[in-house]
Amino acid sequence: MPGVNAWTPVPTVSVGGGGGLMFPGSYYVYYTFTNAAGLESFPSANSAVFNVAAGQRPTVTLPALPGWATGINLYVSNPLAAPNSAMRYASGITT
């Protein structure tokens, strides 16, 4: 992962509810902002590692979009929270 945006809030995650389809395990998330040209900012810092049990669903709290951004890309680690394992999970998030 390249440099980290020190000015962006760290994403927070709460886990609960039902209907989740993630494998049980420990994860972390981070995000990037995107602009109208489709370019991404440097990533946020990683969230704290969180645990997901079978059927649980994590909810990620993200910041408001800066004026220049058109969306957020969310990245999720593998279920072992291994360093550098995160892959894009969702893109174009606006709320």
Side-chain angles (χ1 to χ4, degrees), residues 17-85:
L21 300 176
M22 294 178 78
F23 288 110
S26 298
Y27 296 86
Y28 64 85
V29 299
Y30 67 83
Y31 63 91
T32 60
F33 293 114
T34 57
N35 66 15
L39 300 174
E40 288 186 89
S41 68
F42 285 114
S44 69
N46 293 345
S47 70
V49 173
F50 58 94
N51 296 312
V52 175
Q56 287 187 314
R57 181 177 46 211
T59 301
V60 179
T61 301
L62 297 168
L65 292 175
W68 57 267
T70 58
I72 292 175
N73 290 341
L74 180 66
Y75 293 80
V76 179
S77 73
N78 68 15
L80 301 174
N84 301 314
S85 68

